[in-house]
Amino acid sequence: MAGVDDGYVMVAKTDNCKGICSMLSAILLKKDIVAFCVMDRNGFKFTVEMAGALQASVYLKHELFTEYRCTEKQQFGIQMSHLLECLNIFGGSSNSYVSHPEVRWRGPAPPARDGGRRSAELQRGEHHGLRRPDRLANPLRDALSELDWWGGTLTLEMSTGTPTLRMYSKGEMGGCVIEFPPECDPFDECACTEDTREDYRFSLLQCVLKALALSDKACLRVNRIGMLSVQLMIRNDSPVTTFVEFLICADANEAEFGDAQ
């Protein structure tokens, strides 16, 4: 087998191609999207960005692979649909046979395309200091699916009192409110340091629903500037835990919706 000593800076081999494809598909926000990939000795991180308001990342730890070696950090842009198409050939889709695909990288990496550059800019916004963390399990998916029927915007409220987490949406036909008090079962952990209220577009939250279907647990956090972080823990028939993270900017153009509340 070819290895790092044969001129490759990275070699990865897996017998769980279907699981890896499922996790990468969770951030395939549109067909022609380009991902910014960073690989080092810890594994892969793929990041995509859409509309300057949403960033999604998936972390593939080196433990997911039967063999993984990387001698130096590399980063490059890659079209996600092309990558998934190649992986699906090796049993990533519904194929019944088992394969052991191998990925190699010689480097040097080509310059990152615009998708990676804009993703880095959105990531810096998340570093202003996370506050008011709230942690939920899979009922979050049911709540978002229900609220999506009523309007184009989700309003997320977190308070230091009860209820700790409140979601609602309004439209021409009415509205819907879902509350998660701190003592309810979905919470593993709950903390809120100050009251907050932010609006988020469902067109962006729809991207989260696919990944939520694969997740065991979800963690919601909102920072000082209203950026919503949704972290999803995915095992996917593997003992190794994988994380998918979405960063969603608050919708600053929804003043009219807010005044209607």
Side-chain angles (χ1 to χ4, degrees), residues 46-100:
F46 292 86
T47 301
V48 297
E49 179 268 348
M50 188 172 70
L54 182 146
Q55 176 181 287
S57 300
V58 61
Y59 303 85
L60 303 180
K61 298 180 181 179
H62 67 88
E63 294 94 342
L64 281 170
F65 302 90
T66 55
E67 180 174 354
Y68 181 86
R69 289 174 285 167
C70 184
T71 59
E72 59 184 83
K73 183 176 180 179
Q74 296 284 310
Q75 54 189 17
F76 53 90
I78 185 169
Q79 192 170 77
M80 289 294 293
S81 58
H82 291 173
L83 174 61
L84 285 166
E85 183 178 353
C86 292
L87 291 174
N88 282 329
I89 294 174
F90 296 99
S93 58
S94 58
N95 298 322
S96 59
Y97 61 84
V98 177
S99 62
H100 303 274

Side-chain angles (χ1 to χ4, degrees), residues 36-238:
F36 181 62
C37 177
V38 178
M39 58 186 182
D40 56 23
R41 60 187 179 88
N42 296 314
F44 296 92
K45 178 184 177 183
F46 292 86
T47 301
V48 297
E49 179 268 348
M50 188 172 70
L54 182 146
Q55 176 181 287
S57 300
V58 61
Y59 303 85
L60 303 180
K61 298 180 181 179
H62 67 88
E63 294 94 342
L64 281 170
F65 302 90
T66 55
E67 180 174 354
Y68 181 86
R69 289 174 285 167
C70 184
T71 59
E72 59 184 83
K73 183 176 180 179
Q74 296 284 310
Q75 54 189 17
F76 53 90
I78 185 169
Q79 192 170 77
M80 289 294 293
S81 58
H82 291 173
L83 174 61
L84 285 166
E85 183 178 353
C86 292
L87 291 174
N88 282 329
I89 294 174
F90 296 99
S93 58
S94 58
N95 298 322
S96 59
Y97 61 84
V98 177
S99 62
H100 303 274
E102 180 179 315
V103 180
R104 310 173 193 171
W105 178 260
R106 288 188 184 275
R113 295 177 61 174
D114 279 350
R117 178 180 57 81
R118 291 196 299 267
S119 294
E121 292 173 353
L122 188 57
Q123 181 69 33
R124 283 198 294 270
E126 193 261 346
H127 290 164
H128 283 268
L130 285 170
R131 306 181 68 180
R132 304 181 292 269
D134 292 277
R135 199 174 294 268
L136 291 174
N138 283 340
L140 175 64
R141 178 174 177 264
D142 297 332
L144 291 178
S145 297
E146 176 65 27
L147 290 164
D148 191 21
W149 285 90
W150 297 97
T153 304
L154 171 74
T155 299
L156 183 67
E157 287 187 350
M158 284 175 280
S159 61
T160 54
T162 302
T164 298
L165 177 62
R166 185 171 183 253
M167 301 178 177
Y168 57 91
S169 180
K170 285 185 70 173
E172 295 181 358
M173 302 300 293
C176 181
V177 178
I178 297 178
E179 296 180 350
F180 292 92
E183 66 274 9
C184 69
D185 291 337
F187 279 115
D188 290 337
E189 179 184 339
C190 174
C192 182
T193 58
E194 62 182 73
D195 296 346
T196 187
R197 177 187 178 279
E198 299 290 349
D199 297 328
Y200 302 94
R201 282 176 283 166
F202 270 115
S203 59
L204 299 177
L205 291 169
Q206 282 288 344
C207 302
V208 181
L209 289 175
K210 181 194 295 186
L212 270 171
L214 304 172
S215 66
D216 296 321
K217 290 187 177 182
C219 176
L220 298 184
R221 298 183 295 177
V222 179
N223 68 8
R224 293 191 187 103
I225 61 174
M227 181 172 289
L228 173 65
S229 168
V230 183
Q231 292 181 330
L232 306 176
M233 186 181 76
I234 300 175
R235 285 203 173 93
N236 204 15
D237 298 326
S238 171

Side-chain angles (χ1 to χ4, degrees), residues 1-11 67 69 102 104:
M1 172 180 164
V4 176
D5 295 335
D6 300 306
Y8 296 98
V9 298
M10 185 280 295
V11 175
E67 180 174 354
R69 289 174 285 167
E102 180 179 315
R104 310 173 193 171

